[in-house]
Amino acid sequence: MWLPDKSHLEDSNVALYMASRGLRNLDEFVKYSYDNTEFWGDFADNILKLRWGRRYAQILDLSRGVQWPRWFIGGVLNIADQLEDSPRPLVKWEGEDGSAVEWSYSHVSYNARAVASWLKKNGLRKGDRVAVYMPMVPEIVPVMLGVIRAGGIFVPLFSGFAREAIRVRLEDSEAKFVFASDVSYRRGKEVDMLSEIVAGITKTVEHVVVHKRAREAKDYVGLEEVLRMGGDYVEEAESEDPLMLIYTSGTTGRPKGTVHTHDGFPIKAAADVYFHFDLKPGETLIWVTDMGWMMGPWMVFSAYLLRGSMAFFEGAPDYPKERLWRFAERFRVNVLGLAATLTRHLRSIGAEPGDRELDTVKAFGNTGEPIDKESWMWLHKVGRGRIPIINYSGGTEISGGILGCYVVKPIKPSSFNGASPGIKAAVFTEEGKPAPPGVEGELVVLSVWPGMTRGFWRDPQRYLETYWSKWPGVWAHGDAAVVDDEGYFYIVGRADDTIKVAGKRLGPAEIETVLNAHPAVAESAVVGRPDPLKGEVPVAFVVLKPGHQPSEELKKELKTLVENALGKAFGTVDEVYFVSQLPKTRNAKIMRRVIRAILTGRPPGDLSALENPAAVEDIKKAIGSAL
């Protein structure tokens, strides 16, 4: 295991906080953070030193129940208006060709003000949604902060999405403005983004601003033109006003738009980075991510609210093979976050850092999916036993972590050594009772915290059904977990049908919708299959309409259809099996857990609700004939 040294025990952020509040150990700190709402006021005022337009009168209001808490009541706070005027670097960026820029706090602030002023001048009203479809380029930071500064709701779109995934999210959010890049660059190739966003545009979109890097795009306003106009507009915002709408996939239906507020996601993200990752003013944080996933905005908010720097790059982290480590050395990175999928990949290609490339790194981060012991041990070895691996798990709806690691306590391989600040975490059995040590159950939260999503966009009932319907007053997260006899947590998978591809959640419904639109397909079911590199990959089981026959050509056609609709990085189906029927309950619900169990060679469990038992043998036969 990793062991803390004297500096961790005495000088880390969490150690100093514990000492100043008379908390004797980590367990006392975590309990204090979820038992006392004053913890969040203390953090916002004395550590973040937020500037309030009007100070809040009350920290927490639970009058609508634990499902709908309201925070910092009466406060006026535009979280994007906290940028200080400073020459210190805020953004450190590298292109795939090796080019680099560093933007100061002052430079980012100037550009964010320009974006906000242009939006206001062109008709943005408070609460309008603004979608952003850009790769990880430096301009994305002032665009994001400018949207929020203007009173808009930022809707980040994964830069690898294709037109159908874009259309669904633009349609659901009713976005009025779109900021997009014409191209991105990955593995030495130019990737067309403009065609995808244009094809995905919906009728609510009134203005498209294009970050013109390689094409004319004469029909659209250029981002450079927006930035040149300057301005100083800022919209007054109540603390509970929405600032961001991030889509995440569930097991059924359309993607869920999680709603986040000025006093929620940013404060929770900053608290996690402060206490888990020990980021101090002037230090540099990188997470290998995309702005379309929560870790992108999470990195932006936490870095600038904690007066640090954020470093990121465009393109692939293994192009060339040692790129990630060289990047860490070049920009003197202190906290280096990556997904278990990337760790496994780097390990598989032998991409180990040089002697000096990790000299400034004081913490690794892992999130997105459980990290296997072998990959954990490899990363531990790469860090020469000096660098702690901060395992970190939560979700878009959480605004960060439910579980994490702290540097004041030993860290076991693949473990979480504590719950995140403000989170009272537990593992429940099916009966809704705490699971004994070593017994697998479902990860739950028994407290409230500012980063809780304020429901799903225009669908409050779906939010309640997703997280609050299993046990009264308990947030059931959907992760399968276990606690050992020393109180260490371990995530062992998903308790529902969501697929995690390279750490990103993908709902089966998104792929099934595309497959079912093919004229030969009657219905389909998509489940995840374990993959040594990506964690999970989607596998489709397809029932054809009468008159259509299985063929390799049709299989290839269906795979291409999904890839084109959702994007290669997000919607690649690993295999298609043709079956005559899918296992269903009496009320016609597809039993994906049964399909997944057969696919992975595990017992299918209770089949008492199965209406058509013959489907089990049909699936076994389809899998067997393909071997």
Side-chain angles (χ1 to χ4, degrees):
M1 65 174 65
W2 176 87
L3 299 174
D5 62 23
K6 184 179 179 182
S7 66
H8 294 119
L9 297 173
E10 295 180 358
D11 299 325
S12 62
N13 291 336
V14 66
L16 293 171
Y17 188 91
M18 286 162 54
S20 68
R21 274 67 174 181
L23 303 169
R24 295 170 296 177
N25 55 49
L26 183 60
D27 289 343
E28 282 194 8
F29 163 75
V30 174
K31 188 174 188 302
Y32 172 82
S33 71
Y34 64 67
D35 271 349
N36 298 276
T37 55
E38 292 80 9
F39 167 80
W40 290 108
D42 182 19
F43 181 75
D45 294 336
N46 299 319
I47 296 176
L48 297 184
K49 296 181 171 58
L50 295 180
R51 298 191 302 271
W52 298 88
R54 182 178 68 238
R55 186 171 172 78
Y56 55 90
Q58 180 183 346
I59 296 175
L60 175 64
D61 175 13
L62 287 175
S63 60
R64 298 173 61 199
V66 293
Q67 300 88 345
W68 305 104
R70 296 173 63 243
W71 292 86
F72 300 100
I73 312 306
V76 169
L77 173 79
N78 189 314
I79 202 69
D81 191 31
Q82 304 291 316
L83 282 166
E84 56 187 38
D85 186 13
S86 169
R88 291 190 298 106
L90 175 58
V91 172
K92 302 177 180 182
W93 177 83
E94 179 184 82
E96 202 171 59
D97 62 357
S99 59
V101 301
E102 286 196 9
W103 283 0
S104 68
Y105 273 75
S106 297
H107 185 82
V108 173
S109 178
Y110 176 87
N111 285 336
R113 292 164 190 258
V115 171
S117 300
W118 184 89
L119 285 167
K120 183 64 177 178
K121 180 180 178 181
N122 284 275
L124 181 132
R125 292 175 295 180
K126 185 176 181 180
D128 282 345
R129 276 73 63 203
V130 183
V132 177
Y133 180 61
M134 298 170 65
M136 293 300 278
V137 289
E139 290 82 358
I140 202 169
V141 177
V143 167
M144 167 188 165
L145 296 176
V147 168
I148 296 166
R149 182 182 174 88
I153 298 177
F154 171 58
V155 185
L157 302 175
F158 171 48
S159 63
F161 275 151
R163 56 198 64 185
E164 179 61 17
I166 292 168
R167 185 196 63 77
V168 167
R169 288 156 178 80
L170 292 182
E171 182 178 84
D172 189 75
S173 65
E174 296 182 322
K176 186 175 179 180
F177 294 79
V178 171
F179 285 77
S181 292
D182 57 354
V183 299
S184 61
Y185 298 96
R186 189 170 180 87
R187 300 194 183 280
K189 297 180 180 179
E190 183 179 288
V191 181
D192 179 13
M193 296 181 70
L194 188 59
S195 296
E196 299 301 329
I197 193 71
V198 169
I201 288 294
T202 54
K203 61 183 180 182
T204 63
V205 176
E206 298 177 8
H207 300 276
V208 177
V209 177
V210 177
H211 176 215
K212 300 174 184 178
R213 311 177 74 193
R215 304 191 179 185
E216 288 294 322
K218 294 180 180 179
D219 295 334
Y220 303 101
V221 175
L223 180 57
E224 286 300 316
E225 178 184 335
V226 171
L227 298 180
R228 278 197 302 268
M229 72 170 285
D232 197 28
Y233 184 75
V234 61
E235 178 76 24
E236 184 177 274
E238 300 288 330
S239 58
E240 282 286 297
D241 282 343
L243 66 76
M244 185 164 58
L245 182 59
I246 312 183
Y247 283 88
T248 183
S249 294
T251 57
T252 59
R254 296 165 69 88
K256 308 183 295 282
T258 61
V259 180
H260 294 287
T261 59
H262 285 259
D263 62 347
F265 189 110
I267 293 175
K268 163 64 171 165
D272 284 0
V273 173
Y274 185 82
F275 289 109
H276 283 312
F277 298 94
D278 197 37
L279 190 77
K280 298 180 184 295
E283 292 186 335
T284 299
L285 164 70
I286 174 181
W287 213 277
V288 182
T289 186
D290 186 275
M291 203 61 72
W293 309 126
M294 65 146 283
M295 297 306 291
W298 178 95
M299 176 176 64
V300 173
F301 284 128
S302 55
Y304 101 79
L305 288 178
L306 292 172
R307 298 166 185 82
S309 301
M310 68 191 83
F312 53 90
F313 51 78
E314 182 179 16
D318 63 342
Y319 186 81
K321 185 169 74 171
E322 296 82 11
R323 183 188 188 189
L324 181 61
W325 314 123
R326 293 175 182 173
F327 178 87
E329 181 183 33
R330 182 181 191 180
F331 291 102
R332 300 187 62 78
V333 168
N334 303 106
V335 177
L336 173 55
L338 60 167
T341 303
L342 178 54
T343 300
R344 285 193 290 269
H345 175 66
L346 295 174
R347 173 180 162 227
S348 71
I349 63 174
E352 296 198 5
D355 291 340
R356 305 298 301 275
E357 289 175 338
L358 295 181
D359 279 1
T360 62
V361 176
K362 68 177 193 178
F364 289 127
N366 174 75
T367 196
E369 60 179 299
I371 183 169
D372 56 280
K373 186 175 180 180
E374 291 75 15
S375 297
W376 191 98
M377 293 301 295
W378 181 81
L379 204 54
H380 183 64
K381 177 189 170 195
V382 160
R384 299 178 177 84
R386 171 184 66 86
I387 303 173
I389 301 166
I390 309 300
N391 212 7
Y392 183 61
S393 183
T396 307
E397 309 89 332
I398 306 292
S399 302
I402 294 176
L403 302 173
C405 291
Y406 298 87
V407 297
V408 293
K409 181 179 178 180
I411 302 173
K412 298 180 183 181
S414 308
S415 74
F416 305 87
N417 68 9
S420 294
I423 303 293
K424 185 177 182 180
V427 175
F428 271 16
T429 64
E430 281 296 322
E431 293 74 35
K433 304 294 183 183
V439 175
E440 182 180 323
E442 182 164 350
L443 183 65
V444 300
V445 182
L446 306 175
S447 59
V448 295
W449 64 99
M452 282 173 60
T453 180
R454 300 321 192 253
F456 297 152
W457 182 248
R458 295 176 174 169
D459 198 352
Q461 188 58 37
R462 189 180 179 196
Y463 160 69
L464 294 175
E465 290 170 355
T466 301
Y467 294 110
W468 297 99
S469 62
K470 198 159 188 177
W471 301 291
V474 174
W475 177 291
H477 193 60
D479 279 334
V482 66
V483 183
D484 70 13
D485 54 9
E486 293 182 293
Y488 286 76
F489 288 81
Y490 298 84
I491 301 290
V492 296
R494 288 292 295 171
D496 60 18
D497 294 328
T498 306
I499 306 164
K500 274 203 169 182
V501 182
K504 310 303 187 298
R505 279 163 57 177
L506 174 66
E510 287 213 70
I511 296 179
E512 291 165 6
T513 298
V514 176
L515 291 172
N516 296 347
H518 190 282
V521 175
E523 61 179 346
S524 62
V526 175
V527 299
R529 176 168 61 193
D531 181 82
L533 185 60
K534 295 184 177 181
E536 280 189 303
V537 291
V539 173
F541 291 80
V542 173
V543 178
L544 298 177
K545 293 178 180 176
H548 295 274
Q549 299 299 319
S551 68
E552 288 301 316
E553 290 75 19
L554 179 55
K555 182 183 294 188
K556 184 177 180 181
E557 188 177 331
L558 292 174
K559 287 184 176 182
T560 302
L561 184 67
V562 173
E563 216 168 81
N564 290 342
L566 300 181
K568 185 174 292 188
F570 194 65
T572 301
V573 175
D574 190 65
E575 184 57 89
V576 174
Y577 295 105
F578 295 106
V579 294
S580 62
Q581 56 185 323
L582 300 172
K584 296 180 180 180
T585 62
R586 288 176 178 81
N587 59 358
K589 181 179 180 181
I590 297 172
M591 298 184 74
R592 292 183 186 83
R593 68 164 178 84
V594 173
I595 301 173
R596 189 168 58 245
I598 297 168
L599 183 65
T600 55
R602 301 198 313 268
D606 181 18
L607 299 179
S608 59
L610 188 61
E611 175 72 11
N612 54 338
V616 172
E617 294 306 316
D618 195 21
I619 290 169
K620 288 180 180 178
K621 183 178 178 181
I623 296 170
S625 63
L627 297 177

